[in-house]
């Protein structure tokens, strides 16, 4: 494949988006209309996956997998659930600069690379997007910032352009979208293909729409915004993101780049308190389906036939492997990929292959294995067996009816786990709220 025929790639990641928040995943409209018409259109004109997962039910571990196309458990920083502000200054809690990444491999193969949006993979001076393959970076480094002040919960300014603080007025979702439009337009004037990681903070707390600048002083000391928000504010935040994606699609079309641009959309984990995960149970931090099953939409007119739906099992790192394969770029021989390319499925939505998926969480001693129709799950020391196509809500535990299958899947998970580094004893779990703040799901 010649460089001129390699696709541009835009990897769009929403933050804490629920499985059924988008119209194309049977999400409900608001009184003012559809919540996600642009993404719904991309799904109609491309392919959507109904059995796709995130590598973790919490933010930064998934981002380690996205960047490396490997199980995140191989890196110490990913054992934090998630990385938090206490890791500032740490030399270990971040993405090691020597680790080959999706952007570094693409950059070394001739791609132009940019991160626009959230990093959440460790703090300067030891870690950062420019150290891990991006030529340009614009966005916050921490896990959550205010949409208007661009400050974290400690009041630290956290909007950056490359290695320098960036003071710029505006609603963060729109700033990221406009920056991506600017990058697309700049790339249209040069010959190399480009790769954009467009990592929105939306629809993550605090619960602020474009019209809510006045709320910033109210939430500045606790961005978890435990007394704020509702489903209508939340859906409007999704809509703002969707509008921005529309600006980017239009820029690609206007500059003649849309046909050979692979756009992939997903979420870093399952939904949070206002998300719609129907029919799934659970959400962020859970290995039940609602914490890890997420939307996956791919649009690439030169390759993907419109109107496809796939039930292929996949997770975040598979999409990173897919992008490398689409670009004709091999993995670093010292860091073989755990991700598996989905290119055959993009070419034919009816194509399917066996793809066992494994997870573990320090939080509540959770573990999970999805293999075909079946899922093995452990939460708080209790083991479960579910047939997911028959019981997506994971309410009918078949472990007592099929003890041999449960035992075999448990043994499979334990063999996989033995191939990974153990969870470090000093790994931390950070919860933003508990049952004292709101009833459990």
């Amino acid at each position: 494949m010649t460089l001129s025929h390699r696709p541009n790639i835009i990897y769009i990641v929403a933050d804490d988006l629920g499985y059924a928040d988008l119209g194309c995943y049977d999400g409900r409209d608001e009184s003012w209309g559809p919540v996600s018409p642009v993404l719904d259109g991309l799904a109609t004109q491309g392919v959507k996956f109904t059995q796709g997962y995130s590598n973790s039910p919490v933010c930064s571990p998934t981002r380690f997998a996205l960047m490396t196309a490997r199980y995140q458990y191989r890196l110490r920083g990913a054992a934090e659930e998630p990385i938090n502000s206490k890791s500032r200054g740490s030399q270990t809690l971040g993405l090691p600069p020597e680790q080959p990444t999706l952007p570094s491999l693409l950059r070394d193969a001739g791609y132009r690379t940019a991160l626009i949006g959230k990093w959440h993979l460790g703090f300067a001076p030891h870690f950062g997007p420019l150290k891990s393959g991006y030529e340009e970076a614009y966005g916050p480094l921490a896990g959550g910032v205010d949409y208007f002040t661009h400050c974290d919960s400690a009041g630290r300014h956290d909007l950056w352009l490359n290695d320098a603080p960036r003071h710029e007025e505006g609603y963060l979702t729109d700033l990221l979208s406009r920056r991506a439009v600017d990058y697309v337009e700049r790339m249209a004037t040069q010959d190399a293909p480009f790769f954009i990681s467009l990592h929105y903070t939306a629809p993550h707390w605090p619960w602020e729409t474009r019209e809510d600048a006045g709320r910033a002083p109210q939430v500045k000391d606790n961005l978890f915004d435990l007394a704020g928000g509702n489903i209508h504010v939340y859906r409007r935040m999704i809509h703002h993101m969707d509008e921005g994606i529309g600006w980017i699609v239009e820029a690609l079309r206007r500059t003649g780049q849309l046909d050979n641009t692979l756009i992939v959309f997903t979420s870093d984990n399952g939904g949070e308190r206002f998300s719609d995960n129907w029919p799934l149970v659970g959400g962020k931090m859970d290995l039940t389906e609602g914490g890890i099953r997420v939307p996956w939409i791919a649009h690439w007119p030169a390759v993907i036939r419109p109107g496809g739906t796939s039930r292929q099992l996949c997770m975040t790192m598979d999409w990173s492997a897919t992008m490398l394969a689409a670009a004709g770029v091999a993995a670093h021989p010292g860091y073989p990929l755990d991700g598996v390319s989905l290119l055959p499925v993009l070419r034919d939505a009816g194509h399917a292959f066996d793809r066992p998926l494994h997870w573990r969480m320090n939080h509540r001693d959770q573990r999970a294995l999805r293999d075909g129709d079946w899922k093995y799950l452990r939460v708080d020391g209790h083991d479960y067996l579910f047939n997911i196509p028959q019981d997506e809500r994971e309410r009918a535990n078949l472990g007592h009816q099929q003890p041999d299958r449960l035992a075999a899947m448990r043994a499979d998970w334990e063999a996989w786990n033995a191939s990974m580094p153990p969870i470090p004893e000093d790994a931390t779990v950070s919860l933003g709220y508990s049952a004292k703040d709101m009833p459990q799901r």
Side-chain angles (χ1 to χ4, degrees):
M1 185 185 298
T2 63
L3 195 62
S4 62
H5 288 93
R6 293 182 180 185
N8 304 312
I9 302 170
I10 303 179
Y11 204 166
I12 306 175
V13 182
D15 204 341
D16 294 357
L17 184 78
Y19 179 74
D21 279 330
L22 305 181
C24 54
Y25 283 85
D26 298 325
R28 287 166 280 195
D29 289 351
E30 270 290 295
S31 60
W32 38 263
V35 173
S36 56
V38 173
L39 286 165
D40 299 345
L42 291 177
T44 298
Q45 298 153 18
V47 60
K48 72 173 183 179
F49 288 66
T50 61
Q51 302 290 310
Y53 293 86
S54 58
N55 260 70
S56 171
V58 64
C59 183
S60 53
T62 292
R63 295 171 195 271
F64 278 94
L66 181 154
M67 288 290 284
T68 63
R70 288 157 59 89
Y71 273 115
Q72 66 271 22
Y73 315 107
R74 299 184 184 280
L75 294 171
R76 171 61 186 89
E80 300 299 293
E81 297 175 354
I83 286 178
N84 59 40
S85 60
K86 295 177 183 177
S87 67
R88 289 180 183 273
S90 170
Q91 298 183 41
T92 56
L93 301 184
L95 181 60
E98 66 274 13
Q99 166 74 50
T101 64
L102 173 59
S104 74
L105 292 166
L106 291 173
R107 178 202 60 198
D108 293 349
Y111 272 72
R112 306 296 303 277
T113 59
L115 170 65
I116 299 172
K118 180 172 172 176
W119 168 246
H120 205 188
L121 290 169
F123 294 97
H126 304 293
F127 310 104
L130 300 187
K131 299 179 186 296
S132 289
Y134 293 110
E135 298 173 324
E136 296 184 23
Y138 174 84
L141 299 179
V145 297
D146 186 86
Y147 284 86
F148 294 95
T149 67
H150 315 142
C151 292
D152 66 14
S153 281
R156 286 177 290 242
H157 179 80
D158 193 27
L159 180 61
W160 301 81
L161 177 58
N162 298 326
D163 287 330
R166 177 77 169 185
H167 295 274
E168 187 172 356
E169 289 189 4
Y171 184 64
L172 184 57
T173 302
D174 292 343
L175 294 178
L176 299 179
S177 298
R178 292 187 181 118
R179 186 81 188 182
V181 168
D182 173 74
Y183 190 85
V184 165
E185 292 175 342
R186 283 189 283 131
M187 292 300 101
T189 64
Q190 51 88 59
D191 294 331
F194 65 79
F195 170 70
I196 302 174
S197 292
L198 177 55
H199 296 177
Y200 285 103
T201 60
H204 189 285
W205 45 257
W207 313 114
E208 296 170 331
T209 72
R210 282 192 195 118
E211 291 72 43
D212 290 329
R215 295 201 70 242
Q218 303 172 31
V219 302
K220 67 181 180 65
D221 295 325
N222 189 337
L223 295 185
F224 287 105
D225 200 3
L226 296 177
N230 55 54
I231 57 173
H232 308 294
V233 168
Y234 173 78
R235 289 176 182 162
R236 181 65 79 175
M237 293 169 68
I238 296 171
H239 188 66
H240 294 332
M241 175 182 65
D242 186 78
E243 286 181 306
I245 294 169
W247 304 341
I248 296 159
V249 171
E250 178 54 35
L252 289 166
R253 182 179 290 111
R254 186 173 62 249
T255 56
Q257 300 179 92
L258 183 61
D259 190 59
N260 198 31
T261 296
L262 169 60
I263 301 172
V264 173
F265 175 87
T266 190
S267 179
D268 59 345
N269 46 252
E272 229 240 29
R273 69 198 88 158
F274 295 118
S275 304
D276 186 353
N277 288 327
W278 181 261
L280 313 177
V281 166
K284 184 176 182 178
M285 300 298 290
D286 301 325
L287 288 182
T288 46
E289 292 288 287
I292 48 177
R293 182 115 59 97
V294 293
W296 283 103
I297 297 168
H299 180 271
W300 186 7
V303 171
I304 298 173
R305 289 192 292 270
T309 298
S310 173
R311 293 184 56 83
Q312 174 62 49
L313 299 187
C314 60
M315 66 198 320
T316 310
M317 63 186 181
D318 296 332
W319 287 91
S320 301
T322 302
M323 292 172 190
L324 291 173
V329 176
H332 188 291
Y335 297 82
L337 306 186
D338 296 316
V340 177
S341 172
L342 300 164
L343 266 185
V345 187
L346 298 189
R347 295 190 177 110
D348 174 9
H351 182 84
F353 59 91
D354 290 338
R355 181 68 179 112
L357 306 173
H358 299 80
W359 296 265
R360 73 183 188 196
M361 283 285 285
N362 196 9
H363 176 55
R364 300 180 69 185
D365 187 30
Q366 296 177 87
R367 57 169 72 172
L369 163 62
R370 176 79 195 267
D371 191 357
D373 290 346
W374 293 91
K375 182 176 177 182
Y376 162 58
L377 175 69
R378 175 178 290 182
V379 183
D380 295 330
H382 303 290
D383 281 0
Y384 307 93
L385 178 69
F386 299 110
N387 184 307
I388 295 300
Q390 293 181 7
D391 175 30
E392 291 192 297
R393 287 185 66 76
E394 296 168 290
R395 301 293 87 184
N397 179 16
L398 301 177
H400 296 298
Q401 291 185 8
Q402 299 201 35
D404 291 346
R405 185 186 296 274
L406 175 61
M409 293 189 74
R410 182 190 299 120
D412 183 322
W413 185 92
E414 288 174 348
W416 165 83
N417 188 55
S419 73
M420 296 289 148
I423 298 174
E425 291 186 3
D426 60 346
T428 64
V429 176
S430 302
L431 302 176
Y433 54 88
S434 68
K436 69 180 175 58
D437 300 299
M438 66 192 74
Q440 296 232 335
R441 289 186 283 263

